Amino acid sequence: MTLPTARPAPTALRRVDRAVSEYGDAGSAWLAAMWQADPLADAVVNDPTGRGAARTVRTLMTEGLAAVTDPEPSVGALLEQLTEEPAWLDRDRLDRASDVLVRYSAQWGLVLGAASLLAGADNWIAAKPLLLTGRYGQQPAVRSIEVGSWLSQVVAPGGMAIDAPGFQHTVRVRMIHAHVRKHIRTHAEWDEEAWGVPIPQPYMAFTLAEFGHISLAAMVSLGVRLRDDELADIYHLWRYVGHVIGVDPALNPVDEADQVRIEELYHLTSPGPDQYSQEFCRALTEDYLAPQLATMLRGPARFREDVARRAMYGMSRVFLGDEAADALGVPDGAAKHVVRAVRPVLFGLDQARLRVLGRDRVTARGYAARDVEMARLKAENGMTHDLVDAVPGAVGASG
């Protein structure tokens, strides 16, 4: 894939001149890519054979490559890209990254909500596709568990091997994105001149930073300190996920510096949050994150719920910074100071855990606990599906 020829940036973006003057070619590439989606996946969902190509990809995702015979040309092109292993890929590093992340499943789960998802909500254009498909601000618990279900397959030993569950789930997410684009362009009002294409390459790349640097930086505030080699392996994992999910090599982040630059360009050019972003922030925190934290506390229900809500908003303040938190309507309070104060204590407890149990034992416990927790969350929320494409009538659903 190659980025499209430069054209004027979408008119709703801000500070586009600064993006170019401060970031040079990277800024120009970012703006140009607002007009590029995922040509290979989009070709499948728009294939003239109708549902035939989409059904072939569904077979790939459920039965594996061996079950796909004589694929449509659009599917063949997609499979060629998916199965061609990049020269830079080291699969041992993917497994090492998974082991590191699973040791911190509890902390990672908190920051993915209170930091990563809210950082993404700081841009109403990026959120618009979810709004137009009825998935924005509704059932934040279900949406979060769907993300967790995908991550539990990706972050697993061998999870991203070709035909493995993580690989298949990531292809499913890629196809969901393509179906959402088709739905929006067919059924919804989309101002392309103002907003660019739905789910463009830059916002796909930013999603990798949400799961990568944004969450890792927030975890530091919870006392997690990773070695440089552990961090490098995690960035390697997300680089490969980017390859499978369709991020153009020109934008797919290689390391921490790339992810940081993506975050900076995302926020620099963002038009900011809107009322839906604020409603999403409130719903995610008060309807899902805080109730989950409250289950870990002791005392009367109203006390636990109030403490958990204040704590979650305090964490978001620390993770996002006051300016971004103000824009999202995150309440201010003393809780942010408490979060900062307990960081050294949390770090000490984590180091003691690793010394007493050993990293291998902590890792094994992490995988087991994550599976139990995922089952509990699905049961509590009456979920029988994993990703949204398994929900009848949803955009991207099979059938």
Side-chain angles (χ1 to χ4, degrees):
M1 291 183 285
T2 57
L3 295 180
T5 303
R7 58 187 280 196
T11 56
L13 295 186
R14 296 187 301 172
R15 300 183 287 259
V16 295
D17 291 340
R18 280 184 56 191
V20 176
S21 64
E22 294 181 14
Y23 292 88
D25 290 344
S28 297
W30 177 270
L31 297 172
M34 287 296 296
W35 305 111
Q36 180 187 356
D38 181 353
L40 293 176
D42 293 341
V44 172
V45 300
N46 292 293
D47 193 286
T49 62
R51 290 184 175 270
R55 280 195 294 267
T56 302
V57 175
R58 170 61 61 175
T59 299
L60 161 71
M61 294 184 293
T62 56
E63 301 178 37
L65 281 169
V68 177
T69 58
D70 192 25
E72 295 81 356
S74 64
V75 178
L78 177 63
L79 292 180
E80 183 179 359
Q81 186 266 329
L82 285 171
T83 57
E84 181 181 358
E85 293 205 352
W88 47 261
L89 178 62
D90 182 342
R91 291 196 174 277
D92 289 340
R93 298 184 67 187
L94 307 185
D95 290 349
R96 293 201 298 267
S98 296
D99 288 350
V100 173
L101 288 170
V102 82
R103 290 176 204 145
Y104 298 99
S105 292
Q107 297 93 324
W108 201 35
L110 282 175
V111 301
L112 286 175
S116 299
L117 289 179
L118 295 191
D122 189 41
N123 183 333
W124 64 259
I125 295 177
K128 198 74 171 178
L130 283 172
L131 182 65
L132 293 176
T133 54
R135 297 282 292 170
Y136 195 70
Q138 299 180 7
Q139 296 183 298
V142 172
R143 283 190 52 215
S144 297
I145 296 166
E146 288 169 350
V147 172
S149 183
W150 167 59
L151 289 175
S152 68
Q153 303 297 333
V154 170
V155 180
M160 286 301 293
I162 293 174
D163 262 1
F167 178 89
Q168 293 178 339
H169 275 64
T170 303
V171 175
R172 285 174 64 185
V173 172
R174 182 174 184 173
M175 298 311 299
I176 290 169
H177 290 166
H179 281 289
V180 167
R181 290 190 200 96
K182 181 179 181 179
H183 171 84
I184 288 174
R185 285 172 158 164
T186 306
H187 302 289
E189 294 183 5
W190 182 265
D191 189 345
E192 189 158 306
E193 288 303 310
W195 307 333
V197 300
I199 316 180
Q201 283 287 326
Y203 296 167
M204 292 166 63
F206 177 76
T207 299
L208 301 175
E210 288 182 282
F211 295 117
H213 178 261
I214 292 174
S215 67
L216 293 170
M219 285 166 65
V220 172
S221 298
L222 298 181
V224 177
R225 185 181 300 172
L226 302 180
R227 303 189 308 259
D228 289 345
D229 63 305
E230 293 173 328
L231 291 168
D233 287 341
I234 293 171
Y235 289 118
H236 191 77
L237 168 64
W238 291 114
R239 185 185 183 187
Y240 184 57
V241 172
H243 170 79
V244 175
I245 214 166
V247 179
D248 193 293
L251 286 180
N252 195 14
V254 175
D255 52 23
E256 178 179 349
D258 284 348
Q259 292 203 3
V260 169
R261 182 173 60 251
I262 285 169
E263 293 169 41
E264 292 171 349
L265 282 165
Y266 181 85
H267 293 296
L268 177 65
T269 59
S270 165
D274 59 9
Q275 70 177 77
Y276 296 105
S277 304
Q278 295 174 346
E279 290 171 5
F280 170 71
C281 172
R282 184 168 55 254
L284 178 68
T285 303
E286 300 188 6
D287 297 344
Y288 177 59
L289 296 175
Q292 290 304 314
L293 181 59
T295 63
M296 306 176 193
L297 305 177
R298 294 186 178 183
R302 289 187 62 182
F303 169 78
R304 290 187 288 107
E305 292 165 1
D306 182 64
V307 170
R309 184 176 61 255
R310 292 174 185 271
M312 289 309 310
Y313 279 134
M315 279 188 257
S316 292
R317 280 261 159 194
V318 172
F319 301 154
L320 299 174
D322 285 327
E323 182 178 354
D326 286 341
L328 285 169
V330 176
D332 202 352
K336 65 183 182 183
H337 302 300
V338 175
V339 173
R340 294 189 180 104
V342 300
R343 173 182 164 183
V345 176
L346 295 175
F347 171 71
L349 290 173
D350 179 55
Q351 293 301 299
R353 177 184 70 141
L354 294 175
R355 284 195 300 270
V356 172
L357 297 177
R359 292 178 183 271
D360 290 344
R361 200 169 164 194
V362 170
T363 300
R365 287 188 174 188
Y367 283 117
R370 184 183 66 180
D371 292 343
V372 171
E373 179 68 4
M374 183 59 62
R376 179 187 71 82
L377 289 171
K378 286 186 175 182
E380 285 184 357
N381 288 275
M383 285 180 60
T384 58
H385 69 282
D386 49 5
L387 303 183
V388 68
D389 62 348
V391 178
V395 176
S398 59

